Amino acid sequence: MASRDEVAQFHFRRGEHLQLLALSADILRAPLSVDAITRLAVAHSLAVTGDLDTARRLATIKTEGAPDSVRARARFVLGVADERAGKLDSAIGFYEEALELLRGTSDLSLLAWIELYRFRLLVEGHSVKALLAMLPILKRSVVRAGDPQISAYLHMCTAVLEGETGGITEGNRHCDAAESLLELADNASLRASNLVNRGCLAILDYRPGDAVAALEQARQLGLTNGDRAVVSAANINLAHFRLLAGETGEAATLFQKALAGQTKRLNALGALDGMAKVHLVDSAFDLCAQTLERATVQTSKHGMLPTLYHSRWASLTKGRLLFRQRRFRDCTQLLAELDTETATVGDRPFRVALGQLSALVHSRLGNAKAVAHELHATEASGSTRIKEFQPQQYFVVARVVEPFDQLLAQLSLARSRRQWESQGVFSTRVELDDEGITLEAARRDIEAARTAPLVLPRTAETITNAIAAAIDLSHTPRLAGTELLGIIRALDCSPGARLVEDSKTTPADDEQTIVLSLGEQTGLTYSLVCPLPSEPVKAVLLGDVLRLGRAGVALEAARREERQRGALWPASPVEEQAGALFIAEEMQTLLAMVRRIAPTNAPVLITGETGTGKEVIARTLHGYSDRAGKPFVPFNCSATPRDMLDAQLFGHRKGAFTGATEHFPGVIRAASGGTLFLDEIGETTLDLQPKLLRFLENGEVHPIGETQPTRVNVRVIAATNADLDAMVAQGRFREDLLYRLNIIPLHVPPLRSRREEIPVLAQHYLDKFSLESGKHGLRLSEETVEYLVLYKWPGNVRQLANEMRRMATLADNGAILMPEHLSAAIAASRRTVPPSQRALEPTEVVVRLDQPMPAATDHLHAAMIQHALKKCQGHMEDTAAMLGVSRKGLYLKRQRLGLDAGTDPSSSLTP
């Protein structure tokens, strides 16, 4: 039966704080009677559930004189309590004290957790540049810890940072990675926080269904686990979503719930900002000012910096209040101060919103030059490329150019309405209006935009503006199509042109019609269908417009790729495809190459030692390709008798040879439309290789017994652990086939070259095989991980996986796996064995440094030649190929070194 401490740690590890506290009544009565680690776990859960005073009391009991790891854990808990209380500087101080105590420690997990908590807190108000500099250090700490939960939390922190700087797609990718890792080691509290991140990103991406689903699930999980911060964060994000949709009553109720509950001070600040926006949209200016004053008092009372995320956005809300009150000079002064305070933060969306409001204010003050400057600055910051701020930019443009060009102003205003209608956003229109529009009037105005036709005046300014908008709006096919259709109608270059939306098919070109496919949006495919004009000039103009449309679609795809390359963490270390892990720098580079070549059909040759994961790479490549929904067929060329390879690969007719009792299509045709993975390609016979070459060149297979070849559409990925170049030199592999296979080479490094992956891989496989064998709670001790990291792994990842399977099978539930549980070969590879006492591997040689260089090189050459001769069983041609020298060169070298200096009977060469 598990002890109380074991049960407490089990619930704490799973983020089940209320379940842990339900068992801790006696711990609270007599805290000194329990283990310090258990007491601090209870204190941590108390901080999460809102009992900060009791958490602090438990964390300070009997810590002086305790081991450094216990003292560090106590300060960690005190930091968590102060962070929840809004004492951010104090929290960071406790985290840094804890980290100082852990310098040189073996508790890598605790070290990584504290570094991540500090990083997450710094995300709230520090510059992106400073945070980026911290990421590589954090990654190393997380990899060393080898804990899926810690890795998941790093992804969650990065998702927040990406979301706050406009990287919605990348933020979602990190949420996916965190969710995948938590499937290996569940933690309800982390899962709930990850769902909050998902919901927030969905709001920013205008996916209301996804947002509500994620946030409601997060709220329920938070209530179940007693995590008040998660509950309040879910409520606040749901409230912001309701506010954007113009549902101010529902938004106010949710903001009040967040403020009424015991929550993190940072969350409370966000709720106050949201409540102020509700009052602003409802034109309750006095209530808005009072709420913002509460936010200011809270910020100063708890020493929060004005650069904190919620602080700076609350200040911007105050600027919008002053603008709507038409206090333009007060607003200008506030925005100038805010611009100075936040200049180094690196929050692009915030800089855009600040510039847009500044442009409106300067317009009202009649400062045209300042307006022009702000418009340029916001565009440079991404106002026309961030979906959230595009309609705001169009609205601002409409307002500030109205005195100079009414046609351009009307066009921009209509464009802002169409995009707000597409997003389902109504409140922002009111926040940016100083002419007294009500929320209901704004809703009617925006909803009417869906059916209002785009009438584009035929002027150089309006057409140029519409072309730029069509390119900027390529992420939303309906809006881009509307702009392009307006241009075509203004130029009158395709009478009858129309925008078609269809849930099933895309129209096709014919002799009288050109179709431009714009992409998919909410399950509908959008296409611009343009009848060909009868006049040459109009045909030219139509071609120009459609070419611009294609360029916009291609540019949007390029932008998505560029956003991924420019992400804070460019490649995901955990991939859904084939369960592969890519953590080491070499593997990240390999993954980037896989992503790049996946859309092509070029053959790929994957090389690497046995067990490195060549098939995993092949499956990942297939998963990223356009063939992902088609078969992936692996075929091991060494597992089939050589005389049967032809029939197995290419198929045969019934009766084609003895034993052919029925028709067999062959492995290649079984992979039709998909990917064929030929493992151990070096084992194919010289008789078969010409047929493989013909298949690669022409896409044709000729089954045994068939009179005609058959064409088949298959992508080929080959793999080998052999040196194919050496096999070509030896006449055992066709050179032309090698060239055809090796169009795109990929090399998988051995596990000993990417040791930083070993802790994560080991934990991954231990968790996987624990589930397989019905075990739970297994973990590797730090000393065991050290053994694993230092071992050479001749069998690579496959050997590591088998070692974890063996350990999981033999272990008891809840066991901490020690070095004595390792297999004999790994347990014998102790780091403490001095080099002088270590037995040399067969491929190792000792060379003294205190001898003349010619003598040292002669010794090394002699050892290498003897080793190669032994490996090649005395065959001179193979030995020379292995050493990379000619047969004559090998003969002369052996003669000079006195190694069997007689005539080489297998050679016709004479000295």
Side-chain angles (χ1 to χ4, degrees), residues 627 631-633 666-676 712-715:
R627 301 171 180 266
F632 175 87
V633 179
V667 171
I668 294 176
R669 282 191 285 181
S672 180
T675 302
L676 174 65
V712 62
N713 175 21
V714 171
R715 185 193 192 156

Side-chain angles (χ1 to χ4, degrees), residues 892-908:
L892 293 173
K893 181 76 72 175
R894 291 175 64 212
Q895 187 181 50
R896 189 178 69 79
L897 295 173
L899 301 173
D900 188 16
T903 302
D904 181 354
S906 69
S907 174
S908 61

Side-chain angles (χ1 to χ4, degrees), residues 7 55 57 75 113 163 180 268 319 321 323 395 403 475 477 499 540 550 609 685 756 765 824 834 861 907:
V7 173
R57 180 171 60 82
R75 280 160 176 75
W113 274 122
S180 176
L321 170 63
F323 176 71
F395 179 82
H475 55 75
L499 181 63
V540 170
R550 293 188 193 97
E609 296 179 7
T685 64
E756 62 267 42
Y765 285 117
H861 289 171
S907 174

Side-chain angles (χ1 to χ4, degrees), residues 845-847 854-866 897:
V845 63
V846 174
V847 178
T857 54
D858 283 352
H859 174 59
L860 181 60
H861 289 171
M864 291 181 69
I865 291 170
Q866 288 171 329
L897 295 173

Side-chain angles (χ1 to χ4, degrees), residues 501-519:
E501 60 180 42
D502 198 295
S503 60
K504 297 179 181 178
T505 60
T506 300
D509 286 350
D510 57 37
E511 294 182 358
Q512 300 300 321
T513 308
I514 301 177
V515 177
L516 172 62
S517 177
L518 298 168

